[in-house]
Amino acid sequence: MSQHDPVLWSNWALFANLLPRYPQIKADLDMSNAVYGLAVAAFPAGAIVAGLAAGAAIRRLGSARAAVTGTLLTGAGILAAGLADSVALFAGALFLAGAMDSVTDVAQNAHGLRVQRRYGRSIINSFHAIWSIGAVAGGSMAAAAIALGLSRGQHLTFSAVVFAIAACVALRFCLTGPENDRAPESDGDGDGLVKRSAGPAVPGRRTVYVLAALVLIATAGTLVEDAGSSWATLYLSGSLQASITLAAFGYIALVGAQFVGRIIGDRLVDRFGQRTVARAGGLIAAAGMGLALTVPTVPGTILGFAAAGFGVATLVPAAMHEADELPGLKPGSGLAIVSWLMRLGFLASPPIVGLVTDATSLRAGLLVVPLAGLLAFLLAGVLQPRHR
């Protein structure tokens, strides 16, 4: 485990603790599917608004301190969302949590790239696997809290305190020194990483096209993640009438399988190349969730979410890594653009799925998952093939 991983783990564990509580919150606040979709879209909306401020926070505080500060404030927002007694307060708290999560996300990736440069080889999929561990831990904690009959206030206060302590302790083990410790760029590949050659930072037409495709690939990954976080519990407990405890395992299965995909992702990419891995993953996500929606059962749907999570496991890390290596861009610019714009998927997905659900059914709304898998399959050609 690298030095910044505990911060990454604790940040998403906070949000995952709230997700299985969504059906209760939706019922308590008497929200329709469309209103619910708009309310939970406040989280990515906050992330988009605050995303461009992440760079300033990193320059002022350093990537490690910015990540930990964002984690503490995210926990406060999550707790406020869980205790909200109106739709407006619920959405406002999610907006705050999303804004702070955006700062944390960029800061974590910036710090992770520093660690990767120290390692001298690609380990980005392993970094993102830690995010999945946090999601599984948080979702499991929430399922246990529900089974034990803990109130939302008791449960979310406990998780906020536990992960705040974890983040503060992790700060002691993060890298110190200036953020801009990138080694001089060259064309060599002696350390196993592809480096950009020096040249004018003027992106050409192909660079713009590839960057747009990378944003869409990353967005496809976030669409699947959002479907699991926002709708899996509701679909299993509502449409398929699973118990609330069992329904929580739709999301847990998705992020658990995503973790497995990311743990083995670096080895798969080294052997087959980013392009082949992304194409195969897109097909797995489309086929697995497509079959689950065609023949809806509780076990089949949980397996479908697992297939979707496994299939998209490497999409966001691949898009970020490829964007950071694009020629004609300043170091970090491609990563920042992809990180910011992919959140549009999180912003657009809940309202769209909610509107489709109110007009037809949640089963139809969840078709966004296999469609995202097909999108990744079609655009994966911009990723690097296997190096011979």
Side-chain angles (χ1 to χ4, degrees), residues 1-59:
M1 182 175 290
S2 73
Q3 290 152 306
H4 86 301
D5 285 343
V7 185
L8 182 65
W9 176 78
S10 62
N11 184 60
W12 202 252
L14 285 166
F15 188 49
N17 265 278
L18 178 66
L19 297 178
R21 296 287 190 171
Y22 273 179
Q24 295 173 325
I25 295 173
K26 181 175 181 288
D28 289 347
L29 300 182
D30 195 26
M31 289 185 279
S32 67
N33 287 312
V35 171
Y36 168 78
L38 289 170
V40 298
F43 187 91
I48 290 174
V49 169
L52 294 180
I58 292 171
R59 288 190 294 271

Side-chain angles (χ1 to χ4, degrees), residues 215-290:
V215 169
L216 290 176
I217 290 172
T219 300
T222 61
L223 285 172
V224 174
E225 292 173 6
D226 179 74
S229 64
S230 297
W231 301 103
T233 305
L234 287 174
Y235 179 62
L236 284 161
S237 63
S239 302
L240 301 184
Q241 299 180 333
S243 69
I244 189 66
T245 302
L246 182 59
F249 282 89
Y251 176 68
I252 293 171
L254 185 146
V255 294
Q258 188 179 62
F259 165 73
V260 174
R262 286 174 171 173
I263 282 292
I264 66 176
D266 288 314
R267 283 175 288 177
L268 291 175
V269 168
D270 287 341
R271 181 170 182 178
F272 301 107
Q274 294 277 20
R275 183 181 300 172
T276 299
V277 173
R279 281 177 172 165
L283 288 179
I284 290 172
M289 198 61 195

Side-chain angles (χ1 to χ4, degrees), residues 319-332:
M320 287 183 170
H321 180 264
E322 293 284 336
D324 199 49
E325 298 295 334
L326 280 177
L329 295 176
K330 294 180 180 179

Side-chain angles (χ1 to χ4, degrees), residues 196-209:
R196 289 190 301 262
S197 59
V202 180
R205 182 175 300 178
R206 174 170 172 76
T207 297
V208 174
Y209 161 75

